[in-house]
Amino acid sequence: MSLRLLYLIFVRVCGWLVLPGRSPAPANADLLVLRHEIAVLRRTKARPRLDWAGRAVLAALIALLLRRLRAHRLVTPGTVLRWHRRLVRKKWTYPNRTGRPPVSAEITALIERLATENHGWGYQRIQGELLKLGHRAGASTIRRVLKALKIPPAPKRHTDTTWRQFLRAQAATMLAADFFHWTAR
């Protein structure tokens, strides 16, 4: 394909080398465009279809025409602009990555370990501890990871304590507080 483009360019350049002695440049460009359009029409049967090499030659030659002559060609300026847009779109394609990049398994395991071992730590505390360890993760990412692992937020994380267990754990503190309150009178 690129060999075909080089051939077409070579033929046109040779045509240009012959024409400068005969007439001014815009007339030469007009003749070259007409010749190329005729060649395209001869190659096609019903509707003219241009290959990429023909498009490149036409786009280059049309740029040399006078403004009033550009509108009366086989290819309109809008079509040439569409070709350029299509070329740019093909050239500058990016992979279809939507959203944030996935969190690595190492960071996910670390978040799970920090959350299960430290029941009182919230998302921002876990974020700070990860930052101390050299890993960057946002609080919303930590919340999303914990939600995916079905680990509840910090105040609700350790909910297996019954009321009786809580009272037994706090009994000494409650007695001391009651005693202090009674002696303070």
Side-chain angles (χ1 to χ4, degrees):
M1 285 192 175
S2 61
L3 188 62
R4 178 177 171 81
L5 177 64
L6 290 174
Y7 171 73
L8 288 173
I9 291 172
F10 177 73
V11 168
R12 298 304 172 217
V13 168
C14 288
W16 282 344
L17 292 176
V18 173
L19 291 176
R22 293 188 205 164
S23 61
N28 293 337
D30 190 26
L31 288 174
L32 287 174
V33 170
L34 287 173
R35 287 178 185 167
H36 187 70
E37 286 178 355
I38 291 170
V40 168
L41 288 173
R42 284 184 184 154
R43 284 194 309 249
T44 59
K45 292 188 172 76
R47 183 170 181 235
R49 291 271 184 196
L50 295 171
D51 58 345
W52 69 273
R55 289 178 184 161
V57 170
L58 260 181
L61 291 175
I62 287 174
L64 299 174
L65 290 178
L66 296 174
R67 186 175 295 266
R68 61 187 167 84
L69 294 176
R70 289 181 195 168
H72 303 293
R73 299 292 107 205
L74 174 68
V75 180
T76 64
T79 306
V80 175
L81 288 174
R82 188 174 66 242
W83 293 343
H84 285 289
R85 282 193 298 269
R86 190 180 304 150
L87 281 174
V88 169
R89 193 174 23 214
K90 284 182 182 178
K91 171 72 175 168
W92 299 105
T93 56
Y94 296 102
N96 293 331
R97 287 180 278 159
T98 57
R100 297 179 181 175
V103 180
S104 67
E106 173 191 357
I107 294 178
T108 303
L110 198 54
I111 290 171
E112 181 182 13
R113 183 175 172 195
L114 288 172
T116 54
E117 290 179 3
N118 304 295
H119 300 291
W121 286 7
Y123 306 133
Q124 292 179 346
R125 175 71 188 266
I126 294 173
Q127 179 187 14
E129 293 299 322
L130 284 174
L131 198 56
K132 288 179 188 175
L133 296 172
H135 301 288
R136 293 188 61 170
S140 61
T141 303
I142 294 169
R143 181 182 68 80
R144 191 170 23 95
V145 167
L146 291 179
K147 188 175 181 180
L149 294 171
K150 294 187 176 31
I151 299 174
K156 303 175 189 173
R157 198 170 296 149
H158 194 54
T159 57
D160 57 348
T161 305
T162 62
W163 183 248
R164 184 176 299 226
Q165 290 171 340
F166 173 75
L167 288 177
R168 282 194 186 132
Q170 303 298 326
T173 308
M174 290 189 328
L175 285 175
D178 284 344
F179 180 74
F180 177 74
H181 180 70
W182 185 73
T183 56
R185 286 183 177 191

